[in-house]
Amino acid sequence: MSKQVLILGGGYGGLLTALTARKHLSAEEATITVVNRFPTHQIITELHRLAVGNLKENNVALSLDKLLKGKDVNLVIDTVEAIKPEDKRVTLASGETLSYDVLVMALGSETAFFGIPGLQEHSFTLKSVNDANKVRRHVEERIEAYSKTKNKADATIVVGGGGLTGIELVGEFADMLPTLCRNKGVDFKEISLYCVEAGPSILAGFNPELVERAKTSLEKRGVTFLTGVAITEMKEKSVSLKDGSSIETSTLVWTGGVQGNALVGASGIECNRGRATVNAFLQSTSHPDVFVAGDSAVVFPTGQERPYPPTAQLAWQMGETIGYNIFASFKGAPMEEFNPVFSGTLASLGRKDGIATLGASQTRLKGMPASLMKEASHIRYLTHINGLFSLVH
Ligand code: NAD
């Protein structure tokens, strides 16, 4: 009888699990169902570009229906409400309950607000296509409003957090705002664009030479960095900082960190700070019939104390390992251990600049070559999933 494989999440981990499992398992052997809250597979690594209109929505929101057409994968567009591993059941917002033989949790991460007062209420985030569209519309409206009222809060944009998400976003703002201002009859010199970072430096962990390069490149284009100072509160029109100062603004985009998906933490499977712990085969350490992919899992490289970072390139590779391991577990064959390949870290700094460290040698790239590599990695992903589609029987 066909086994039920239920995959929660249609992002990098979920989609790649579905396609890889289907590559190995016929429809008679397994019924594969993907549940996703949006009808699209969202390329969230490119949301910073959508947030300034430097990309069309259909480039980053790919129809799951089209992607899975003819692949014998059931698609349910609904929001997961509760996961009950003891009953092997998942409840959806519509009231529907789904049961499974094997469950894959691939629900991604959530923005962490760290309990900072007013932040969740008044800031914008960048975790979905909807979020990016909201940022774009809001900034356009504020610059338009500024052209009429000259209210300083409308001419001030703050990015909270100088990690990769914040830096890529501030780079896009730096490139887009001069044109937007010109179109709205505003002098770009009147705009303030801040990136506030609590740590001593932006891009913690990145090579210092590349960090310096990013800083200089962005400062030249009008970004002001405030480092070593945390955001402590957000009100409707002002951001308070730990040093007692405040910035008058109606736009804070919060990119200060991510945390495990709350549904995973609440499910009762074994977790480490809200992310599911897994063995080398990416099975939950407490529930072997549950695999966990992407940011929902915490994976420690053998013998190391720091887990792998929650990135798209890992999520997709986890999906592939899980897809294969589901097949292997059904057939009683040995499962494969998760051994990720790191292609490196690529960060765009707007349209024409970027920084990158590549491969095990940590080769450094900057400028247009890094920018082009970033573009190429986006295309590589799309080619990769298309390649997988054609392999699926
Ligand atoms: P992050 O956790 O990497 O960075 C958040 C930053 O916000 C940190 O530098 C932190 O010090 C700062 N911060 C936290 N609290 C603050 C406060 N109160 N005030 C001011 N600053 C504060 O989060 P991210 O940038 O969203 O990245 C999440 C993950 O996604 C990371 O693993 C990252 O490597 C990955 N990512 C990769 C890419 C890429 O490869 N191009 C792009 C985006 C994200």
Side-chain angles (χ1 to χ4, degrees):
M1 209 180 92
S2 176
K3 299 236 193 198
Q4 300 293 325
V5 176
L6 179 58
I7 301 170
L8 307 181
Y12 301 100
L15 182 67
L16 272 294
T17 299
L19 291 172
T20 312
R22 184 46 91 220
K23 190 171 94 178
H24 296 289
L25 290 162
S26 69
E28 289 71 42
E29 290 169 314
T31 301
I32 300 177
T33 304
V34 173
V35 180
N36 200 46
R37 66 187 150 146
F38 309 123
T40 50
H41 172 64
Q42 304 195 348
I43 311 289
I44 59 171
T45 49
E46 299 294 326
L47 289 180
H48 52 289
R49 293 174 64 189
L50 183 64
V52 303
N54 171 17
L55 195 69
K56 291 217 166 61
E57 183 172 327
N58 60 7
N59 293 130
V60 288
L62 314 179
S63 158
L64 275 167
D65 206 25
K66 279 196 192 150
L67 286 174
L68 295 170
K69 207 178 175 92
K71 310 294 185 292
D72 270 324
V73 173
N74 302 324
L75 178 63
V76 177
I77 306 303
D78 209 331
T79 302
V80 176
E81 242 182 25
I83 308 168
K84 296 173 185 146
E86 303 312 329
D87 305 334
K88 288 179 173 277
R89 275 172 188 280
V90 170
T91 317
L92 307 180
S94 62
E96 198 182 344
T97 298
L98 302 174
S99 55
Y100 60 82
D101 294 300
V102 166
L103 180 71
V104 181
M105 292 183 181
L107 290 163
S109 54
E110 299 176 343
T111 300
F113 294 100
F114 306 117
I116 298 171
L119 201 53
Q120 190 158 4
E121 200 182 339
H122 298 299
S123 71
F124 292 82
T125 53
L126 203 58
K127 288 293 278 175
S128 68
V129 163
N130 279 351
D131 290 350
N133 284 334
K134 273 193 210 158
V135 170
R136 192 183 64 248
R137 280 195 296 265
H138 175 82
V139 170
E140 283 172 9
E141 279 166 20
R142 289 303 95 210
I143 302 296
E144 168 97 38
Y146 179 74
S147 72
K148 294 175 186 138
T149 63
K150 296 289 168 187
N151 180 343
K152 185 66 188 152
D154 290 330
T156 304
I157 293 169
V158 180
V159 173
L164 280 161
T165 309
I167 293 303
E168 290 198 308
L169 178 64
V170 86
E172 295 296 328
F173 275 142
D175 281 0
M176 167 277 250
L177 282 168
T179 312
L180 178 64
C181 287
R182 206 174 312 121
N183 293 343
K184 304 280 183 198
V186 168
D187 183 349
F188 176 61
K189 290 198 196 88
E190 293 170 28
I191 303 290
S192 301
L193 177 56
Y194 291 99
C195 177
V196 182
E197 166 56 51
S201 163
I202 57 165
L203 297 175
F206 230 75
N207 172 278
E209 185 208 335
L210 294 180
V211 172
E212 201 44 46
R213 158 64 195 242
K215 224 173 144 237
T216 318
S217 163
L218 293 166
E219 279 171 347
K220 266 193 211 145
R221 282 178 276 153
V223 178
T224 302
F225 288 100
L226 302 178
T227 50
V229 56
I231 289 174
T232 51
E233 187 172 2
M234 170 84 197
K235 295 197 181 115
E236 202 183 337
K237 291 216 162 117
S238 83
V239 171
S240 308
L241 306 181
K242 194 157 184 193
D243 62 6
S245 63
S246 63
I247 304 172
E248 202 187 326
T249 182
S250 33
T251 311
L252 169 66
V253 187
W254 175 247
T255 64
V258 294
Q259 63 191 20
N261 190 297
L263 288 164
V264 175
S267 72
I269 69 167
E270 198 173 341
C271 284
N272 178 334
R273 295 192 209 161
R275 294 164 72 199
T277 49
V278 288
N279 64 17
F281 309 115
L282 302 179
Q283 286 166 297
S284 152
T285 44
S286 58
H287 292 73
D289 55 350
V290 178
F291 288 86
V292 194
D295 294 6
S296 293
V298 59
V299 185
F300 293 90
T302 315
Q304 290 190 34
E305 281 175 19
R306 268 174 77 99
Y308 288 124
T311 62
Q313 57 172 316
L314 279 192
W316 111 25
Q317 293 180 59
M318 289 165 93
E320 292 185 328
T321 298
I322 293 172
Y324 177 81
N325 284 347
I326 292 172
F327 154 76
S329 68
F330 287 175
K331 298 284 174 189
M335 291 195 279
E336 70 182 27
E337 293 194 356
F338 179 56
N339 269 318
V341 178
F342 281 97
S343 49
T345 306
L346 300 151
S348 66
L349 304 169
R351 294 175 195 190
K352 295 187 187 139
D353 202 4
I355 49 171
T357 53
L358 301 178
S361 61
Q362 297 273 296
T363 305
R364 299 196 283 273
L365 279 187
K366 49 197 175 203
M368 196 45 117
S371 208
L372 290 172
M373 282 291 291
K374 172 90 192 185
E375 187 64 27
S377 83
H378 173 52
I379 294 165
R380 196 177 123 238
Y381 175 69
L382 298 179
T383 315
H384 183 73
I385 51 176
N386 273 318
L388 265 181
F389 293 143
S390 57
L391 283 174
V392 171
H393 34 236

